[in-house]
Amino acid sequence: MAEKKGKKKDPKEWRIDIDAERCKGCGFCVEFCPKGTLAMSDDFNSKGYHPPMVANPDSCTYCDMCEMVCPEFAIWQASDVQKKDTHIADDLVRMDRMPHIWCPGCGIGTVVNCFVEALHEAGLDLDKTQIVSGIGCTGRVAGYVDLDSYHTTHGRAIPFATGLALGAPDQKVVVISGDGDLTAIGGNHFFHAARRNADMTVICVNNFTYGMTGGQVTPTAPQKSIAITTPYGAFDRPFNIPFIADSCGANFVARWTTYHVRHLQRAIKTALLTPGFSLVEAISPCPTLYGRRNKLGDGLDLMKFYKEKSVRFKKDQHTTADAEIGFQDQIMVGNFVNRENPSLLNAMDSSLKDKLGDKYVQWPIPG
Amino acid sequence: MKADPKRVLSGNHFINGNHSATEGAIAAGCTFAAGYPITPSTEIVERIASRFPRVGGMFVQMEDEIASSICLQGGVWSGRKAMTVTSGPGMSLMMEHVGLAQITETPCVFINVQRAGPSTGLPTKTAQADMMQAKWGSHGDYEAIALSPSSPQECFDYTIDCFNLAEEYRMPVFLMSDEMTGHMTEKVVIPPADEIELVERQFYTGSDKYLPYKREANGIPLMSKAGLGHHYHITGLTHDERGYPVLTKPVQEKMMTGLMKKVGDNVDKLTRYEEFMMEDADIALVSYGISFRMAYKAMEMAREKGIKVGLLRMITCWPFPEKPIRELAQKVKSMIMVELNYGQMFLEMDRFSNKYCETDLCGSSGGEVHEPEEILTKILEAAKK
Ligand SMILES: Cc1ncc(C[n+]2csc(CCOP(=O)(O)OP(=O)(O)O)c2C)c(N)n1
Ligand code: SF4
Ligand code: SF4
Ligand SMILES: [Mg+2]
């Protein structure tokens, strides 16, 4: 279980644990440790990766950056006193299904960490939290998270989630799916769910590519970017996901990258606690297909790129229309929209109550 | 379990087949429906939209049929009995999710009010040309259950049966209506609620980890629903008992065997048909749905001419009534399938006749039902042979 954030930790109580066998050597933990505590070791694990090691234990403030950023759930802060001896994801990930399918340096595991932490922090009842995915690398998240979980069809996570949320108003419904899933084949459902303010949180892992099928162009791929189906560069204008969600009327809209683990986690937490339709876009590295083809390097290089190229959304200066992403260009990040419009369920309920009066039989919550 | 009296409009009605099917769904305990308007099924979503809020049901008009056909499955996993309804192009759009309901073993009901195709075809006119689609429309192998009503009364009765079968076999079930049956207005008798028997969903109540695809002795796995604390996984990928994806041949084979046997082992139990004037018949008409009524008329006309014609009317088209057809083929000299297509159920009839008798088709392009005389002509031809 996660301990309270923001409290200084007593270094005598804490240590860093590493499960070298889980590691895929992406280097995220070493690079993004703000104190230079970690270094890559020369050892190999049985998969042939170099796991990290604690090079400067005294420098560590136990900020948990390494734990949050590690897509393999392989490094964590541990304390006997605080009774924490596993990675934050261990409670909520089906460890009997590990290792997951994601490549070294893929950001999807990092998004899972942020989601898991956000769930804990939001204090949601895990028996009443539902997770729905479409198809794709990101679509596999539902299969790994230990909740009631649904791995549906390509692009259709949102309409499934709509039925689930309407049918069981006592459940919190979360959709996690890729950019292709949500904005190409599932685009129509995305617009309508946002328009209806359907009761769900959508986390879109945007890696600018169809990961699962080998790196074809998606509607979010910037112009000029290379994909296997745009070998001479993409020519059509990409979708700006926050702008769409905003213009369709979503109650909460945010975008962060997998570099911004804390912001991402907090945005997901806010989304989970916001009634109606909330959307968090997580820009995430696909080194295997997007990074490599676009000469952006491996997962670590992509993470550094996000750090360097991200600019903050400022309410008084920007609108979501400014959040369009150009090729190798800036990435606007922030919490863009925060509204309190009635959700689909509430709107339906109050309108029917209003019109039908005594004749209205409210749908009973099953259970 | 008996139907809830608050949900049953008991009494005599003069309503069309689409409205009657809606009342059947309500009586059956359906509390969730998703749909998209399309002729000639629209009256069903219209009546659902007005009736559901008065009986504790939830209806949502989705952005298209693809959305409706999966939204309803979200509704099922929320713990409700759920349905969708469509016609022609809408049915084609739903096909991927028929497969999803099959592989995830999600009990639900699809009503197809058939119209003539292909494509936009004849939106306002009848056909029975989606019969093979109900069995083979989604990719991959699966077994189907489909019932064919021929009157507004049967739209009511069989819709209830569809919901019961969906729960009993934990799978999608089709009501294969058509434009004519849907729009025809006749007397419909809705019985008192305590005369309507309903099959309720069987939920897992054990204390061990719930396995969503562990088959019980009857071959059907128990259900769960959102929020019971089971933390189950449901996927359209090939999966093991735990619901976890395992992409290997042995697991595919085990999963498929379980899926196929649910219906395959129960064909006799599932098969429903009626026979008319078959005792002395040497020519058998075989028909279903709206065409059955024309076939019946043609049979009477032939009998008046002294020709010994009987009629086998299929209520379940899927699974196909293999055994009665096989037996009939050994009794009569000729079987004629009467249907509004170019020979869909005819293929099954011909196959199961094992060539014991002559087989013929009295088909149609759709657009109108048969004239009884057309069928009579076929009977006369057969009688000459
Ligand atoms: C109807 C349908 N069309 C195409 C596919 C093939 N397909 C599987 S995943 C995928 C793209 C996934 O891309 P995205 O949603 O961005 O997820 P990622 O793999 O990048 O995480 C496609 C095209 C499919 N499964 N179903
Ligand atoms: S972040 Fe995780 S996978 Fe990457 S090097 Fe560190 S421990 Fe290994
Ligand atoms: S292909 Fe890309 S998105 Fe898929 S697991 Fe690999 S890095 Fe991640
Ligand atoms: Mg993608």
Side-chain angles (χ1 to χ4, degrees), chain B residues 169-189:
Chain B
Y169 290 91
R170 208 185 136 172
M171 63 184 280
V173 174
F174 282 90
L175 183 79
M176 297 299 286
S177 182
D178 73 284
E179 183 277 330
M180 190 72 78
T181 313
H183 285 160
M184 171 196 310
T185 298
E186 281 185 346
K187 182 177 171 187
V188 173
V189 182

Side-chain angles (χ1 to χ4, degrees), chain B residues 224-283:
Chain B
S224 183
K225 66 178 173 184
L228 294 183
H230 287 151
H231 295 208
Y232 51 74
H233 185 53
I234 303 303
T235 176
L237 284 168
T238 293
H239 46 257
D240 61 15
E241 283 188 336
R242 298 170 299 175
Y244 289 0
V246 184
L247 309 186
T248 63
K249 179 175 183 216
V251 174
Q252 165 77 359
E253 194 172 324
K254 181 162 183 226
M255 180 191 76
M256 286 305 299
T257 305
L259 281 183
M260 302 301 281
K261 278 166 71 82
K262 279 202 298 190
V263 172
D265 285 355
N266 292 297
V267 172
D268 291 344
K269 195 173 140 201
L270 282 161
T271 298
R272 281 170 64 187
Y273 64 99
E274 294 171 323
E275 284 182 336
F276 303 90
M277 301 191 184
M278 207 58 101
E279 299 73 29
D280 60 343
D282 50 24
I283 296 173

Side-chain angles (χ1 to χ4, degrees), chain A residues 94 96-97 126-128 130 140 142-144 146-154 156-164 166-169 171 188-190 192-193 196 344-345 348 352 356 359-367, chain B residues 31-32 49-50 52-64 66-68 70-80 96-97 100 104 209 224-237 242 244-245 247:
Chain A
R94 298 185 168 118
D96 55 342
R97 294 209 55 212
L126 299 180
D127 287 346
K128 294 193 179 309
Q130 309 289 313
R140 290 302 189 93
Y144 294 138
D146 188 19
L147 298 170
D148 289 342
S149 57
Y150 312 86
H151 181 226
T152 61
T153 53
H154 190 31
R156 320 299 174 192
I158 285 181
F160 183 95
T162 304
L164 192 58
L166 287 175
Q171 306 292 312
N188 198 24
H189 311 308
F190 168 37
H192 285 280
R196 293 187 180 108
L344 173 60
L345 255 165
M348 207 184 229
L352 290 169
L356 287 174
K359 298 206 182 78
Y360 174 47
V361 181
Q362 205 179 24
W363 49 94
I365 294 172
Chain B
T31 56
F32 191 93
S50 97
F52 268 34
R54 296 160 182 262
V55 292
M58 159 84 64
F59 167 67
V60 51
Q61 183 178 316
M62 293 302 283
E63 50 273 19
D64 58 26
I66 301 177
S68 307
I70 192 162
C71 181
L72 92 102
Q73 299 187 41
V76 172
W77 286 96
S78 79
R80 296 168 184 278
E96 183 178 8
H97 293 142
L100 181 70
T104 57
K209 174 84 186 145
S224 183
K225 66 178 173 184
L228 294 183
H230 287 151
H231 295 208
Y232 51 74
H233 185 53
I234 303 303
T235 176
L237 284 168
R242 298 170 299 175
Y244 289 0
L247 309 186

Side-chain angles (χ1 to χ4, degrees), chain A residues 7 18 90 110 188 236 238:
Chain A
K7 247 196 320 183
I18 296 168
D90 277 34
T110 307
N188 198 24
D236 46 350

Side-chain angles (χ1 to χ4, degrees), chain A residues 138 178-180 205-211 218:
Chain A
T138 312
D179 48 320
V205 177
N206 182 3
N207 52 18
F208 308 102
T209 195
Y210 284 172
T218 71

Side-chain angles (χ1 to χ4, degrees), chain B residues 285-325:
Chain B
L285 297 174
V286 181
S287 192
Y288 56 92
I290 190 69
S291 297
F292 149 66
R293 296 170 71 135
M294 311 307 133
Y296 194 94
K297 179 75 192 161
M299 174 185 72
E300 287 179 334
M301 289 159 72
R303 283 275 170 182
E304 271 172 34
K305 290 185 189 300
I307 305 170
K308 289 181 180 156
V309 181
L311 170 59
L312 187 146
R313 179 267 168 120
M314 307 193 293
I315 296 172
T316 43
C317 284
W318 301 113
F320 186 80
E322 304 170 14
K323 205 163 125 192
I325 291 291

